[in-house]
Amino acid sequence: MPILGFRGFPKGQSVTLQATQDGVATLPLTAASWDATGSGLQGGPVTIKLDRTQAMAAPDSVRFSVELDKTTFGLPAGNSTAYDQGLHELIYLWDFGEDAPDAVVRKQWDAPQNIFDKWKTRSCAKGPWVSHVYRTPNTYTASVIVLNPRTGQSSTASATFQVGTLDAFYPAGNTICVNPIGDPDFGDAPLNAQHVNADALLNDDALWTDQRGGDPVRWLFKRGGSFTLGVSFDSSEPHDNAFGAYGSGEDPIITSPTDGTNGNRCFYVNARYVGLSGNKTPDLRIFGLNFQGNHDPTVEEQTIDATNKTSNALRSDKYLDIVIHKCRFAGFFYSAVSTYPRDLNEPHNVHLDDVVITDFGGQYPTIFGEHTHPQSSVSLTGTRIAQNPEAFSDPGIRAPSRIQSITQLHMRGCDIFHTDETQPCIKFQETPHADGMITNVHSNSFEGGLEVISLNRNATNSYTTTAGRDGGAINNAIFDGNVFVGNYRSMVFARLEGQGVTYRGNLCIMPATVRTGSGLEALFFVFNRGDEPTTQSAPIDIYNNTFVLLRTSEQNNALSPIDFSYNQQAEYLGNPDHDDVNFNNNIRHYPNLDSPVTPYAPLDRTPEVMWTPRNIGRKALGQTTVDPLNGAPQVPLDAYAPSFASPALGDAMTEPVSYFDMFLAQRPEPPSKGAWEAQ
């Protein structure tokens, strides 16, 4: 898209522009607002809105959104009050303001592995609702630029705020440092902290019960030690607790009880927990801990007796502001992290940052229950949820993450993999209980799954039925610049059972694996849209993606995938009121089929360094080894960007079109098809 600059117009003066090409004239465009120097179009004033934790101390999660009420971007209204076109069509670019001298180190996540190196940068994000964990105390200035790529309008805003210290939030005596029994060295403990020797912290221990009814407490476990942790938060436990590490060396190992104490959980937050007398959301911070369970998914199936198995690291049935930072979870038979708040009185926020979850069991390794309070959120940033590649393909484990229904969701810089062949990698807004939910997913990689991702998969429920829809919610879901990799069982790249979806700039690859099911049937599965009322409809826009199928016809069950597989297809296609699924400017590349589909060849296979798939094969229940027949070739994936001879270059001639590629490189005019520009 060309951006024209004009000078000489006083601020506020309007000018009408009209372009003509090949004898075709555009409609007149009136540009009525120039900046103070008269040098370009402005979108009007925007404001950053911050949402903070109680402690506002590092490691601290800060949530960001943009107020657009006074802008002049001029986007047309849609058919639904829940679908906000500005969330989809405007580009939001964030800088979190971490510019200290050691920023090069602090700006990188450690947990993700199978993502682009550029996506491991912590200090920036994109999208209308984002979140960030600040690791160190300081005064920060975060900034955003909002762009309308169709008109060239832009607006900027910044916000300055303080991230404090936990030493200040927990005054003298409210920090308890725990060393293993026999270790008298508390030399690295914070000043005035209590010193305790213990190998376990359990519900009935005086060390725990003595804190009931008191002030906030910070528990710090000595690095290099091992501890058993099994505590509950009930009606009288203190609010705003933190659990972390102190000293040098390896992160402390935390195990849960296995004799039934605390349900074999490390933490359990009861719905009776009042925290801050029920009128605010209490904090729970967990950082720098290595949680180790006793489940081995490579030899133990989900049908075994789980009586003495570690069940959860954290289960919470109460609204909280949870920040889990720089932790590792391995070997939990059920969900490592499970949050199911039972009421909507206050916001419920969960943020996993730079976290590793592996060797997991199931009923979802992470699950986040519905919470429709307008400030509730789930954030996954720089987190790796990756199963052991030698684990069973066990349907009892299910998707690595199920996010039920949450008002705001942000996921970036994450690395997701699993071996369960009946579920997707992530279930986004699985059981929708509201319309208008924001789902902002960018700069991640997902590998495996029957569908690689899904949206509103459990779509028909009491909310959608009451709303008069046999299908999902009206979403504000943006999947922008991700890598989706199928495995031996994948049928589609995405299953979309809701409306209001923008899917752009993604690279989708099906490696040359031998299938175990029907093969890659379609790129997308769209469900139950035929009977939804026209007055509450929202588009599904799929554009500037690259779809690569590397299987042979034999490997893919003699199928050449169609773009969409519809439930209720005849009703959908026969209804002229539902023509709002847009599939534009995408690249299809299926070079190994008997009838190859390569309209945009040649594609440059190695413009960016990628990674080797984790799928080494299939280990069915009852088997003792992984069958490599179903594995992906163990060589790095290719990026498949248009080469300089590709017909995709400059061929994105119709809207919608993405004006930035996967790495936010601005595209030339006219832009190219697919997720990449020529490298």
Side-chain angles (χ1 to χ4, degrees), residues 238-527:
H239 57 83
D240 295 330
N241 292 272
F243 295 81
Y246 88 97
S248 59
E250 296 294 323
D251 288 342
I253 295 173
I254 306 296
T255 61
S256 75
T258 57
D259 60 358
T261 299
N262 206 43
N264 291 351
R265 303 180 181 103
C266 296
F267 300 103
Y268 175 58
V269 184
N270 196 295
R272 295 187 298 266
Y273 178 55
V274 293
L276 291 166
S277 301
N279 58 5
K280 291 183 180 179
T281 300
D283 285 358
L284 176 60
R285 271 177 177 72
I286 304 171
F287 55 93
L289 301 178
N290 183 356
F291 294 88
Q292 292 188 4
N294 64 358
H295 174 56
D296 184 350
T298 68
V299 296
E300 296 173 325
E301 300 178 12
Q302 287 297 112
T303 55
I304 67 170
D305 182 358
T307 302
N308 300 117
K309 286 296 175 182
T310 51
S311 57
N312 313 110
L314 168 65
R315 179 183 171 108
S316 175
D317 293 337
K318 181 71 174 183
Y319 56 76
L320 292 170
D321 210 326
I322 301 171
V323 181
I324 303 177
H325 171 66
K326 294 288 288 183
C327 290
R328 178 182 175 86
F329 302 86
F332 285 87
F333 189 79
Y334 296 120
S335 303
V337 178
S338 171
T339 66
Y340 253 94
R342 304 285 181 86
D343 56 64
L344 304 177
N345 292 331
E346 294 295 330
H348 174 68
N349 299 287
V350 186
H351 194 155
L352 274 60
D353 178 72
D354 217 353
V355 167
V356 175
I357 302 175
T358 189
D359 290 291
F360 41 72
Q363 284 282 354
Y364 307 105
T366 60
I367 185 167
F368 307 99
E370 59 267 9
H371 209 267
T372 54
H373 188 286
Q375 290 177 260
S376 293
S377 67
V378 168
S379 301
L380 301 173
T381 54
T383 287
R384 168 164 42 106
I385 309 177
Q387 182 62 293
N388 189 319
E390 297 185 1
F392 286 112
S393 176
D394 193 333
I397 292 176
R398 305 192 181 184
S401 190
R402 173 172 174 158
I403 304 166
Q404 280 283 85
S405 181
I406 198 76
T407 311
Q408 285 100 198
L409 190 160
H410 180 216
M411 184 175 185
R412 82 177 189 278
C414 292
D415 173 8
I416 313 296
F417 165 75
H418 76 139
T419 57
D420 178 352
E421 60 190 65
T422 65
Q423 300 265 319
C425 274
I426 303 284
K427 292 181 171 183
F428 291 104
Q429 310 291 11
E430 169 73 353
T431 307
H433 285 264
D435 288 328
M437 297 175 293
I438 297 175
T439 302
N440 178 24
V441 179
H442 69 87
S443 311
N444 308 282
S445 72
F446 306 86
E447 182 185 353
L450 183 65
E451 315 100 24
V452 183
I453 62 166
S454 68
L455 176 72
N456 299 171
R457 194 175 193 258
N458 189 19
T460 303
N461 59 67
S462 58
Y463 174 78
T464 54
T465 300
T466 302
R469 294 194 297 273
D470 183 14
I474 297 171
N475 298 270
N476 289 297
I478 302 105
F479 300 94
D480 186 1
N482 302 278
V483 175
F484 299 99
V485 181
N487 70 359
Y488 48 81
R489 189 64 180 90
S490 301
M491 296 174 60
V492 295
F493 287 113
R495 175 171 173 161
L496 307 175
E497 300 196 21
Q499 311 175 54
V501 182
T502 296
Y503 190 99
R504 68 178 170 231
N506 301 291
L507 174 61
C508 305
I509 301 175
M510 176 58 68
T513 60
V514 175
R515 63 179 174 81
T516 60
S518 60
L520 186 70
E521 298 179 358
L523 304 180
F524 297 91
F525 180 55
V526 180
F527 183 87

Side-chain angles (χ1 to χ4, degrees), residues 12-18 27-34 41 72 151 153:
Q13 182 173 339
S14 64
V15 61
T16 300
L17 307 176
Q18 184 168 2
L27 293 175
L29 169 66
T30 299
S33 179
W34 300 85
L41 283 168
T72 57
T151 66
Q153 291 172 292

